[in-house]
Amino acid sequence: MMRRVAIELKNVSRQFISPAGKVTLALRDFSLTVNEGDFCVIVGPTGCGKSTTLGMITGLNPPSTGTVEVFGKPVTGIDPDIGFVFQADAVFPWKNVLDNVAVGPIYRGKPAAQAREMAAHWVRRVGLAGFEHHFPHQLSGGMRKRVALAQTFINEPKILLMDEPFSALDVQTRALMQDELLGLWSEKKASVVFVTHDIEEAIALGDRVVVLSKGPGSVKCSYDIGLPRPRDVSTARYTGEFIDLSRKIWSDLKDEVQI
């Protein structure tokens, strides 16, 4: 069955100009297609344009050349169907868990009572029942990431962009959050673009891993991940196929990160 294209970047380049007038080219002749429901992971060295790619999809950083389309339409501004999970916690420190999760629906026009009811469901869904009235400073890093996932999924995004969301977590908590993310994604099937430096994380999560060259970034290679779904992160990484993919992707990536 043919699936429609959710995200398409065609031969885009993006340059930035510093206050001193210095021009930096972050991406050059970069193309990427993500079909509806796909989980695409981008890996690459620091400064290769991974986060810039996400910014172009959201409309925050329009390309200098080339085109960006979402569901066949040019990106001209912020799209409410796009959810974004950042590396840093995007929570309001003065709001408790329930009110943090309810912010999105309220902003989109839902009555406060309905928004809080929706938020209560999502707080339970991400395993935070009993912590509804806790504030962010009272939560662990993993719990704050669960709040961030609830904040995002409550709005039912058709496209989910994630910029190294689990990089600050310890190894055990990261594995738990990866499984949590896959569980939520398998229910909603948003089209995902996930940025990471971690090859194992990329293979564990993705349908496809795209490797970028060092900056200015362009696509060096792409790998289809054939590991079966539903996928258990903690066991998948010990399979022969996983180890072989990790070896191949590192072989392609190491030339880009060596000085």
Side-chain angles (χ1 to χ4, degrees):
M1 182 178 178
M2 294 293 293
R3 291 176 297 163
R4 63 176 175 164
V5 173
I7 302 166
E8 188 164 24
L9 294 87
K10 301 177 183 177
N11 304 113
V12 299
S13 296
R14 182 68 167 95
Q15 65 180 23
F16 296 92
I17 303 176
S18 72
K22 181 181 178 182
V23 177
T24 300
L25 189 61
L27 288 166
R28 179 173 55 200
D29 196 28
F30 174 72
S31 296
L32 178 70
T33 300
V34 180
N35 289 327
E36 191 172 24
D38 276 358
F39 200 122
C40 177
V41 184
I42 299 176
V43 298
T46 299
C48 71
K50 299 186 297 296
S51 297
T52 299
T53 299
L54 300 184
M56 289 194 295
I57 297 170
T58 63
L60 293 173
N61 292 320
S64 303
T65 61
T67 60
V68 181
E69 295 182 352
V70 170
F71 292 114
K73 297 180 179 179
V75 173
T76 57
I78 306 301
D79 190 329
D81 286 330
I82 296 178
F84 207 129
V85 180
F86 300 89
Q87 181 176 1
D89 298 324
V91 294
F92 298 107
W94 61 89
K95 290 182 178 290
N96 63 29
V97 168
L98 189 67
D99 289 338
N100 260 293
V101 177
V103 163
I106 291 174
Y107 180 77
R108 286 166 168 77
K110 297 286 186 184
Q114 183 181 356
R116 287 174 64 84
E117 184 178 346
M118 295 168 62
H121 165 77
W122 276 101
V123 169
R124 293 191 297 271
R125 177 64 188 82
V126 298
L128 289 177
F131 293 90
E132 291 88 348
H133 301 293
H134 284 60
F135 289 86
H137 73 274
Q138 298 172 308
L139 305 176
S140 68
M143 294 170 79
R144 288 194 296 273
K145 286 301 176 187
R146 292 177 185 273
V147 174
L149 290 179
Q151 284 178 315
T152 303
F153 277 94
I154 194 174
N155 297 314
E156 298 186 344
K158 294 178 181 177
I159 290 174
L160 179 58
L161 308 178
M162 309 190 77
D163 194 357
E164 299 192 72
F166 307 141
S167 61
L169 302 177
D170 62 77
V171 174
Q172 295 85 356
T173 304
R174 181 185 297 192
L176 292 173
M177 293 309 304
Q178 290 166 350
D179 278 326
E180 186 68 37
L181 170 61
L182 288 181
L184 294 171
W185 170 76
S186 66
E187 293 179 11
K188 299 299 180 181
K189 285 295 184 182
S191 306
V192 179
V193 180
F194 187 106
V195 163
T196 182
H197 282 91
D198 189 327
I199 293 174
E200 289 194 356
E201 180 172 63
I203 298 169
L205 295 175
D207 295 315
R208 178 163 52 112
V209 175
V210 177
V211 180
L212 299 192
S213 66
K214 58 188 174 184
S218 60
V219 176
K220 180 172 184 178
C221 55
S222 178
Y223 288 88
D224 292 326
I225 308 301
L227 300 173
R229 294 196 188 274
R231 190 178 300 167
D232 181 81
V233 169
S234 60
T235 58
R237 67 182 70 240
Y238 298 109
T239 64
E241 184 178 0
F242 189 105
I243 295 169
D244 186 51
L245 281 165
S246 181
R247 186 181 297 113
K248 290 178 179 177
I249 294 173
W250 170 241
S251 178
D252 284 320
L253 185 60
K254 68 180 180 180
D255 292 335
E256 305 302 323
V257 299
Q258 289 176 338
I259 298 175

